Amino acid sequence: MTAIPSFTGDANPYGGGDPYADYRTADFPFTQYANLADRRLGAGVIAANDEFFAQRENLLVPERAEFDPEHFGHKGKIMDGWETRRRRGASAEHPWPTAEDHDWALVRLGAPGVIRGIVVDTAHFRGNYPQAVSVEGASVPGSPSPEELLGDDVKWTTLVPRTPIGGHAANGFAVSTEQRFTHLRVGQHPDGGIARLRVHGEVVPDPAWLSVLDTFDVVALENGGQVEDASDRFYSPATNTIQPGRSRKMDDGWETRRRRDRGNDWIRYQLVAESRIRAVEIDTAYLKGNSAGWAAVSVKDGEDGEWTEILPRTRLQPDTNHRFVLPEPAVGTRARVDIFPDGGISRLRLHGSLTEQGTATLTARHQELGG
């Protein structure tokens, strides 16, 4: 895997102008995967030991952190992130915190899964970021309380060991643990502030839950669907098309740049497992002058299968949810939507159920990953 750039030490004090002008970042190889800590999937920061200066919930805000140099409150500078008070030692003879002193936050992932990489973003925390961070993961069924997660019977696995980081930087960490996680424990040593947390990985759904649902969206991110590739990601990521719920604004879907050739744009998906598809939805919500003109949907079964068109090239209307019942179910493990010639769609839904082979494959993977 490509080496992960690392940043350490303070950033320069803010000197005016664009606060992101000296922000330190890099291209991380794991950001192709979905963010499992996305609020749209149901993620939440369910507890923290301290949030004196800035609230823990800011960690999962989807937009990048903002900075207003003039914004102060009764407790001090208002920061767009999670920030704890300064730790102190036990006495005048020992005014410094011990090596073990640290602050922590518990994060519930929006969708359980295998984590491929984590970004601890300290944007705008220039001299008040933690000296080091650590991240642990646990797999706990149901909806445990903070007290239950902190109990002695919960097994925590180290994903990011205690590691020095930099201020005003995107600190990225590749993760190679092949295990399904539901919760994270984020530590900052000894104290300070983190602007955003991103947890990139692959959703691993509970096959028992999906089997009870019978018919569900077999390409949805929350159910284990993935975007494998796309022809164009110029304005917005293709993964938006399988996010939960309807689009809330134009950039909450997928939009391509304007084509000046005779080709067309497309997205290729991996379904949760082999599925029997019965109906298709293509939504162009909030895409009014830039929606795709036409769309077609194809599926294939297995790596060596042939692509079979299940929805022929069909006219789309702007800002409209289109529903199509298939004349007969289509079986596949992958799907592809082609739009003509360019533009965008906000959501794709493929309604169906797992085949017997799909259920067996998903169950085996769930058990293999400790689900």
Side-chain angles (χ1 to χ4, degrees):
M1 177 176 285
T2 305
I4 303 297
S6 60
F7 308 101
T8 56
D10 294 349
N12 292 326
Y14 175 64
D18 178 8
Y20 274 101
D22 60 340
Y23 176 66
R24 295 176 286 179
T25 187
D27 292 327
F28 301 119
F30 49 75
T31 55
Q32 62 178 302
Y33 297 101
N35 178 20
L36 304 183
D38 194 321
R39 285 287 304 176
R40 290 174 293 181
L41 289 174
V45 186
I46 60 176
N49 71 307
D50 187 293
E51 48 187 329
F52 185 86
F53 286 115
Q55 298 164 328
R56 64 181 191 260
E57 288 85 358
N58 290 334
L59 281 174
L60 305 188
V61 171
E63 294 79 21
R64 71 176 189 172
E66 300 297 332
F67 180 73
D68 181 352
E70 304 300 326
H71 195 191
F72 285 83
H74 292 295
K75 293 183 178 180
K77 181 73 185 71
I78 304 298
M79 295 295 290
D80 187 6
W82 168 50
E83 185 181 6
T84 65
R85 72 194 80 198
R86 300 188 188 213
R87 282 183 169 269
R88 298 292 186 244
S91 65
E93 290 74 25
H94 299 282
W96 308 279
T98 69
E100 292 74 30
D101 287 342
H102 70 281
D103 293 317
W104 54 263
L106 297 176
V107 177
R108 179 189 64 243
L109 297 179
V114 178
I115 297 169
R116 301 302 182 194
I118 296 172
V119 177
V120 178
D121 188 349
T122 58
H124 315 305
F125 289 92
R126 296 169 176 269
N128 52 345
Y129 61 95
Q131 182 183 36
V133 297
S134 61
V135 183
E136 300 166 283
S139 183
V140 183
S143 304
S145 67
E147 292 75 21
E148 290 170 322
L149 287 171
L150 295 172
D152 295 335
D153 57 335
V154 174
K155 177 185 176 183
W156 290 93
T157 300
T158 298
L159 304 179
V160 178
R162 181 171 173 171
T163 305
I165 62 169
H168 196 45
N171 301 276
F173 306 93
V175 177
S176 58
T177 305
E178 289 293 323
Q179 187 177 333
R180 179 181 184 266
F181 294 104
T182 61
H183 294 79
L184 298 183
R185 183 164 60 185
V186 180
Q188 47 178 344
H189 307 263
D191 54 37
I194 299 170
R196 298 288 188 266
L197 177 73
R198 304 293 186 238
V199 184
H200 298 278
E202 302 173 60
V203 176
V204 180
D206 182 351
W209 173 253
L210 295 183
S211 66
V212 169
L213 295 179
D214 188 29
T215 297
F216 58 94
D217 182 359
V218 299
V219 76
L221 180 60
E222 61 189 317
N223 293 332
Q226 297 182 54
V227 168
E228 286 189 328
D229 201 1
S231 61
D232 188 289
R233 298 178 174 88
F234 190 82
Y235 286 114
S236 47
T239 301
N240 281 352
T241 60
I242 54 175
Q243 289 281 3
R246 295 199 72 197
S247 175
R248 299 169 297 170
K249 52 183 179 175
M250 191 174 73
D251 67 349
D252 193 18
W254 171 60
E255 182 188 359
T256 71
R257 74 192 82 195
R258 301 187 187 211
R259 296 190 75 98
R260 302 307 187 194
D261 58 20
R262 307 293 289 180
N264 74 282
D265 289 315
W266 51 267
I267 307 176
R268 190 173 70 245
Y269 303 90
Q270 180 176 306
L271 308 184
V272 55
E274 186 182 71
S275 304
R276 187 172 288 104
I277 302 167
R278 301 184 181 88
V280 175
E281 282 187 73
I282 301 176
D283 196 353
T284 59
Y286 290 96
L287 296 163
K288 299 180 179 181
N290 50 354
S291 66
W294 292 263
V297 179
S298 303
V299 301
K300 79 169 184 175
D301 195 20
E303 293 286 348
D304 302 323
E306 297 291 330
W307 286 104
T308 301
E309 191 173 71
I310 63 173
L311 180 71
R313 192 179 303 183
T314 302
R315 190 74 169 94
L316 299 182
Q317 299 299 322
D319 197 25
T320 300
N321 191 28
H322 309 77
R323 292 178 172 176
F324 309 96
V325 176
L326 301 183
E328 58 183 35
V331 174
T333 58
R334 285 172 169 77
R336 172 178 167 132
V337 58
D338 285 88
I339 63 170
F340 302 88
D342 56 19
I345 61 174
S346 61
R347 296 290 188 270
L348 174 72
R349 306 295 187 211
L350 301 178
H351 300 287
S353 57
L354 295 176
T355 64
E356 288 186 10
Q357 179 60 47
T359 299
T361 301
L362 190 60
T363 300
R365 183 165 189 251
H366 188 261
Q367 293 173 346
E368 178 185 349
L369 296 171

